[in-house]
Amino acid sequence: MKEKLTEKIEDQFEYFVNGIGQGIQIQLLSQEIDPVTKSGKSVQSNVRGWLPKPSNQPNIVEYDCSLIVPNDFGNPGAVIVTNLHGKEFYLFEIVLHGFRGGPIFFHANTWIHSRKHNPESRIIFKNQAYLPSETPEGLKDLRRQDLLGIRGDGKGERKPHDRIYDYDVYNDLGNPEKEDLVRPVIGGEERPYPRRCRTGRPPAKSDPLSESRIEKPHPVYVPRDETFEEIKQNTFSAGKLKALLHNLIPSIAAALSSSDISFSCFSEIDKLYNDGVLLRDEDQQNENVNKFPFGVNIMKQVMTVQERLFKYEIPDVIKRDRFSWLRDNEFARQSLAGVNPVNIELLKGFPILSKLDPEVYGPPESALTKELIEQELHGMSVEQALEENRLFILDFHDMFMPFIERMNSLPGRKAYASRTVFFYTKSNVLRPIAIELSLPPSPSSPGSKCFYTHGHDATTHWIWKLAKAHVCSNDNGVHQLVNHWLRTHASMEPYIIATHRQLSSMHPIYKLLHPHMRYTLEINALARQSLINGGGIIEASFSPGKYALELSSAAYKSSWQFDMEALPADLLRRGMAVEDPSSPCGVKLVIEDYPYAADGLLIWSAIKEWVESYVEHIYSEPNSITTDVELQAWWDEIKNKGHPDKRDEPWWPQLNTKEDLSGIVTTMIWVASGQHAAINFGQYPFGGYVPNRPTLVRKLIPQENEPEYEKFMLNPQRTFLSSLPTQLQATKVMAVQDTLSTHSADEEYLGQVNPLHSHWTNDHKILELFDKFSNRLLEIEGIIHKRNKDFRLKNRSGAGVPPYELLLPTSEPGVTGRGIPNSISI
């Protein structure tokens, strides 16, 4: 049992209550049926002892309970725990001694609610996995009863002690009581989206379709066992994220609000790392700053008597080479080895066409014509370049075009729908050769499609920089709202809800998925409260503004497919790989030096091998997949309740064979671990230097017939910097990116098991298979280190080039740019 550090005084009374046997009631149940009661045989006792025994682990104590068990009791299968205290406690595990074969472990890791909050007792099963058809007779009713309790009845407002999982739409992002914070419901036919965890809060007064807001510091409901553990709260994620959003950002705002201006020169950006941001020591700000619990290798804190100074760590992208971000090869390199390496595609032909309605958005043909591109190929024909797979594209045109007019009506936001074409040279270097920036037609304008090339004179050179900034802004928006939030956080949430609702904790697939669900619902709830909400950090700092989640919904509608979330399938879809049966994952990369894909395939193949061996061991009988009622209900619920707006799509995988199941589970684990790590933990290393990846652009590119053009000609640097986020916008987003890029001290990494959870299964074969998986990941770590020292691989080594480490399995705490946690925990 775990003690909360803040409640040790109250513990003295608990010791007394337990000492007289009135605190915790234990009922041991057999796997065998009692012929009289027709239910599992049972014996009951109470926890006794005036003082708990100290454990080898800090903040954990042990209690004893004696049970008298008859000779014909049979094998124990479950323990029913009743908490008679006035408050909850956290139960790690129950260890049963005295039976033949050694101790029996009941793996718990759960909060046990007080009976005054919920009269139902908690059921803890032993660490033996059973398929539904294999469930011992004495446990069948308990298995069913436990699942029914977790599902709830879909009614009422959830309470903090509840462990009920259910679905709802995203109707809690806006605040209908404030006109500027009204937001549409996300989820449904008009704006399809995955579902989130239901809280049951009452509807808003002015809009019955919207849920009433609950504002910080009050928590958003998540099932009790999904909340951050105390070490996570205190050392980093919950405490730091909340402090960051509630305290640091208002302090920065107060420091800069009187002069929320553009950076006037690059040295002002450098001062954020060299000198810091000065926070005035007013009473409230002083209190806020003192609340901020800085962790390992995060922001440096320098204190004086009258003021506070925050210095940011120098981001990796400029740590080795301060000017790398200016170069075209670095701009291209980051599309393969940056924080968003999942949008680049093989260009398969000309003309490049839009799929949008030409009646609304004009002619579908791109301004990037075959003839224009050929001028940038230095003598190579377009046909030859296409045949040799040398042309690639970042195409954000169709995703942004329907939103550009609305985005550009927002104050301080100007954006284009963009396309960027790259050429892969014979010396194996990717370089951008042309950018198209488009505006939609309007009643007063026919729209425009402008193309830009890098040029060789000063004017075209600066114009090219501005065009690249617009591309980076779009890339940043797609990264955050689509590839990061939608494709990992939001898509994973229904899988987690369905796993708890339909798979018993005894189910082998539940046990396989459990490490990959840790903290995700809690971090998503925090995001809905402070990051993706109306007026939150994402809206304030990224180009789509208040249309952010609508854009994310449009991307879900047009392009999200479960089967394409598998890494090999995604690479094939984008043309970045071709089928190759001789390769370990069945694919061969078109660009060998594609660090995200090359390392990702290693991780994918290790996960796949582990899952396949696990499934093969568990499902040994023919038709055991189709006859597994819990498994079939789980997959059906994911499609019909978790992703109901896509329920009728033909691409959903069938679940009839072991191969089907292995593919589905491998994809889920990859999304929660490797995919999220690759696109999350590089946010500050790449985005912490604003000119490298601006989150928004505030001006369109000046044209020759405009007054701004003369200012641009006189001072192009000022024009460039004044197009980037303001000082306040920049420091806001830098603080968030730093936080989201940080590993907490209690992180659990892929292939590792927390020592406290070592009894998660009693199946020795499974433990052997897991050890094999862990050892393979250690081998992969060595392979990645070796690749980062191979100077033939120019996208991960070379003068000033940071190594690609985002898919190294392990990490130290802090902002490290490496490490694959088991789950989406930040």
Side-chain angles (χ1 to χ4, degrees):
M1 187 185 299
K2 184 168 68 175
E3 291 184 307
K4 293 194 73 174
L5 297 175
T6 56
E7 298 178 354
K8 288 204 170 185
I9 295 176
E10 295 180 35
D11 289 346
Q12 303 304 314
F13 180 70
E14 287 186 14
Y15 295 161
F16 173 77
V17 173
N18 288 332
I20 60 175
Q22 296 299 312
I24 303 170
Q25 192 175 83
I26 298 292
Q27 184 179 4
L28 180 66
L29 290 102
S30 171
Q31 296 181 168
E32 299 177 6
I33 290 288
D34 187 316
V36 177
T37 64
K38 305 300 182 185
S39 59
K41 299 176 182 177
S42 68
V43 293
Q44 184 173 308
S45 185
N46 286 44
V47 168
R48 290 183 180 273
W50 292 108
L51 287 174
K53 297 177 182 178
S55 167
N56 293 329
Q57 299 291 336
N59 309 321
I60 295 175
V61 295
E62 298 177 0
Y63 284 94
D64 288 333
C65 176
S66 297
L67 294 158
I68 299 174
V69 180
N71 291 330
D72 62 349
F73 186 77
N75 291 321
V79 173
I80 294 179
V81 181
T82 304
N83 178 9
L84 304 176
H85 290 289
K87 65 174 185 177
E88 64 184 359
F89 63 84
Y90 191 87
L91 180 63
F92 269 117
E93 69 179 357
I94 298 171
V95 184
L96 188 62
H97 298 276
F99 281 80
R100 189 176 303 166
I104 299 172
F105 295 93
F106 297 78
H107 189 63
N109 283 292
T110 184
W111 287 97
I112 307 295
H113 60 259
S114 167
R115 192 168 64 172
K116 77 174 186 179
H117 293 139
N118 182 348
E120 298 294 327
S121 300
R122 286 294 310 280
I123 303 167
I124 310 296
F125 296 106
K126 75 173 180 181
N127 63 345
Q128 169 72 50
Y130 293 107
L131 294 173
S133 60
E134 300 169 344
T135 310
E137 288 296 322
L139 301 182
K140 284 184 176 179
D141 286 345
L142 290 176
R143 184 172 187 147
R144 190 179 309 111
Q145 178 185 334
D146 194 44
L147 282 175
L148 288 174
I150 288 170
R151 293 171 194 160
D153 59 7
K155 299 176 183 178
E157 184 174 356
R158 299 275 62 87
K159 301 297 187 291
H161 61 266
D162 285 341
R163 52 190 290 267
I164 294 175
Y165 296 75
D166 206 351
Y167 302 94
D168 209 341
V169 293
Y170 283 74
N171 62 351
D172 62 339
L173 301 177
N175 186 347
E177 319 307 334
K178 298 181 179 180
E179 186 177 349
D180 60 329
L181 295 180
V182 174
R183 297 294 182 270
V185 174
I186 304 295
E189 185 176 353
E190 187 177 354
R191 297 179 183 89
Y193 218 58
R195 296 304 190 255
R196 50 104 174 168
C197 187
R198 179 184 178 276
T199 69
R201 292 199 305 272
K205 294 178 181 178
S206 56
D207 179 9
L209 296 180
S210 293
E211 190 171 88
S212 55
R213 287 282 298 170
I214 184 167
E215 301 295 351
K216 55 200 179 187
H218 303 292
V220 176
Y221 168 80
V222 293
R224 185 64 183 97
D225 288 340
E226 302 296 331
T227 56
F228 292 148
E229 293 181 18
E230 194 172 9
I231 186 172
K232 180 88 168 176
Q233 293 171 340
N234 290 344
T235 59
F236 176 64
S237 291
K240 179 166 288 186
L241 186 56
K242 288 176 181 175
L244 173 76
L245 298 176
H246 307 167
N247 305 322
L248 174 61
I249 284 177
S251 297
I252 292 176
L256 299 176
S257 60
S258 60
S259 58
D260 182 18
I261 56 176
S262 307
F263 294 105
S264 60
C265 58
F266 286 101
S267 61
E268 287 186 350
I269 301 175
D270 295 339
K271 285 180 180 179
L272 295 173
Y273 318 108
N274 300 328
D275 299 335
V277 177
L278 191 66
L279 305 181
R280 300 299 176 189
D281 191 17
E282 299 171 9
D283 291 344
Q284 182 61 41
Q285 292 171 21
N286 184 40
E287 180 183 346
N288 286 340
V289 169
N290 286 329
K291 287 180 183 176
F292 193 83
F294 286 94
V296 180
N297 197 28
I298 194 83
M299 291 174 231
K300 297 174 184 175
Q301 179 176 250
V302 181
M303 295 189 179
T304 65
V305 174
Q306 294 298 324
E307 55 198 20
R308 298 293 185 272
L309 193 64
F310 287 96
K311 291 172 70 174
Y312 291 84
E313 292 291 329
I314 298 174
D316 282 354
V317 71
I318 59 167
K319 188 175 287 184
R320 297 173 182 226
D321 183 348
R322 185 179 172 188
F323 303 106
S324 64
W325 69 276
L326 287 165
R327 295 193 292 271
D328 284 353
N329 67 319
E330 178 63 16
F331 175 82
R333 188 190 77 84
Q334 289 184 31
S335 70
L336 300 171
V339 70
N340 189 40
V342 297
N343 280 110
I344 190 168
E345 301 177 66
L346 181 71
L347 182 56
K348 296 177 180 177
F350 285 89
I352 302 170
L353 297 173
S354 168
K355 296 178 182 177
L356 299 175
D357 185 352
E359 295 293 323
V360 178
Y361 300 105
E365 294 82 9
S366 168
L368 300 176
T369 62
K370 174 182 172 183
E371 292 73 23
L372 173 67
I373 296 300
E374 202 155 74
Q375 294 176 24
E376 303 298 320
L377 300 184
H378 303 297
M380 182 182 288
S381 69
V382 164
E383 288 78 11
Q384 182 182 353
L386 290 171
E387 184 179 346
E388 296 179 5
N389 292 336
R390 294 193 178 277
L391 291 177
F392 298 85
I393 188 169
L394 273 180
D395 193 342
F396 300 130
H397 180 279
D398 286 7
M399 189 177 299
F400 277 92
M401 183 60 83
F403 294 91
I404 291 296
E405 187 174 358
R406 286 178 285 169
M407 287 166 54
N408 287 351
S409 69
L410 298 172
R413 309 288 169 101
K414 296 298 176 186
Y416 300 92
S418 64
R419 291 187 178 103
T420 308
V421 173
F422 299 86
F423 176 59
Y424 189 56
T425 68
K426 291 189 175 181
S427 58
N428 299 330
V429 174
L430 190 71
R431 62 181 182 89
I433 58 174
I435 293 173
E436 176 192 56
L437 300 178
S438 301
L439 295 172
S442 68
S444 60
S445 169
S448 66
K449 296 179 181 179
C450 298
F451 66 84
Y452 303 91
T453 56
H454 50 82
H456 298 287
D457 61 274
T459 302
T460 54
H461 187 68
W462 274 105
I463 293 287
W464 177 246
K465 279 185 175 59
L466 289 169
K468 287 196 296 182
H470 276 281
V471 173
C472 286
S473 172
N474 285 353
D475 188 80
N476 227 328
V478 172
H479 164 258
Q480 198 65 262
L481 297 167
V482 180
N483 299 328
H484 182 207
W485 172 256
L486 167 64
R487 292 178 60 189
T488 63
H489 285 260
S491 293
M492 196 71 198
E493 186 151 344
Y495 311 153
I496 295 170
I497 297 171
T499 299
H500 284 283
R501 284 169 53 88
Q502 297 299 338
L503 299 182
S504 165
S505 59
M506 285 195 288
H507 198 289
I509 299 303
Y510 177 95
K511 290 182 177 293
L512 176 60
L513 287 173
H514 188 260
H516 307 289
M517 304 188 291
R518 183 179 188 235
Y519 294 156
T520 303
L521 296 192
E522 171 83 336
I523 198 65
N524 285 4
L526 283 170
R528 297 202 313 276
Q529 190 176 42
S530 300
L531 286 177
I532 63 169
N533 60 302
I537 301 300
I538 298 300
E539 287 193 0
S541 306
F542 288 79
S543 58
K546 69 179 185 178
Y547 306 107
L549 263 288
E550 291 183 64
L551 186 147
S552 187
S553 169
Y556 177 74
K557 181 177 183 178
S558 65
S559 61
W560 187 87
Q561 291 186 206
F562 179 87
D563 59 330
M564 291 294 111
E565 295 305 297
L567 178 59
D570 176 59
L571 294 171
L572 290 170
R573 173 173 64 172
R574 293 189 283 121
M576 299 305 292
V578 295
E579 292 185 357
D580 181 6
S582 65
S583 298
C585 294
V587 297
K588 180 182 179 182
L589 296 178
V590 170
I591 297 178
E592 180 185 356
D593 186 14
Y594 184 1
Y596 157 77
D599 294 357
L601 287 172
L602 291 176
I603 301 297
W604 169 272
S605 64
I607 296 171
K608 182 171 180 283
E609 183 180 350
W610 154 236
V611 171
E612 286 178 344
S613 61
Y614 187 101
V615 168
E616 182 67 34
H617 174 68
I618 296 298
Y619 291 94
S620 56
E621 298 297 323
N623 304 319
S624 53
I625 298 290
T626 55
T627 57
D628 186 335
V629 292
E630 287 184 4
L631 190 70
Q632 294 299 324
W634 168 76
W635 186 232
D636 182 72
E637 182 163 298
I638 285 171
K639 294 181 290 184
N640 291 295
K641 290 189 176 182
H643 289 265
D645 305 324
K646 295 254 182 181
R647 61 161 63 94
D648 297 324
E649 296 288 354
W651 39 254
W652 283 104
Q654 298 293 312
L655 183 51
N656 297 322
T657 67
K658 288 182 280 189
E659 290 74 20
D660 295 339
L661 177 58
S662 295
I664 289 167
V665 174
T666 298
T667 298
M668 290 179 179
I669 294 176
W670 161 253
V671 168
S673 58
Q675 179 73 349
H676 180 257
I679 59 179
N680 180 73
F681 292 104
Q683 289 191 73
Y684 187 78
F686 286 98
Y689 187 68
V690 178
N692 181 59
R693 283 183 64 79
T695 56
L696 57 83
V697 179
R698 297 189 295 131
K699 296 180 180 180
L700 297 176
I701 295 178
Q703 303 300 311
E704 290 188 28
N705 58 346
E706 297 173 350
E708 282 293 317
Y709 191 79
E710 184 176 347
K711 295 180 182 178
F712 161 71
M713 294 296 287
L714 291 173
N715 194 336
Q717 175 179 287
R718 183 176 290 273
T719 297
F720 178 83
L721 289 172
S722 65
S723 298
L724 301 183
T726 65
Q727 293 187 33
L728 177 56
Q729 288 170 330
T731 50
K732 271 186 178 182
V733 80
M734 286 167 66
V736 173
Q737 288 173 332
D738 192 295
T739 301
L740 299 181
S741 301
T742 301
H743 292 291
S744 67
D746 71 337
E747 200 83 89
E748 295 179 5
Y749 295 96
L750 193 64
Q752 296 181 357
V753 173
N754 187 319
L756 294 172
H757 305 164
S758 59
H759 300 124
W760 66 279
T761 181
N762 63 1
D763 189 321
H764 295 291
K765 177 63 176 178
I766 292 297
L767 294 174
E768 288 176 11
L769 294 172
F770 185 80
D771 285 344
K772 182 180 178 183
F773 173 52
S774 300
N775 290 331
R776 175 57 182 156
L777 289 171
L778 289 175
E779 293 173 6
I780 289 172
E781 191 149 321
I783 293 170
I784 293 174
H785 283 306
K786 187 176 180 180
R787 287 174 173 176
N788 285 333
K789 295 176 182 178
D790 187 342
F791 287 104
R792 296 171 299 174
L793 303 176
K794 300 180 178 67
N795 290 323
R796 61 197 309 157
S797 64
V801 177
Y804 187 77
E805 297 182 329
L806 286 168
L807 286 168
L808 281 171
T810 61
S811 174
E812 297 297 318
V815 179
T816 63
R818 57 175 289 173
I820 305 176
N822 272 322
S823 62
I824 301 168
S825 57
I826 187 63

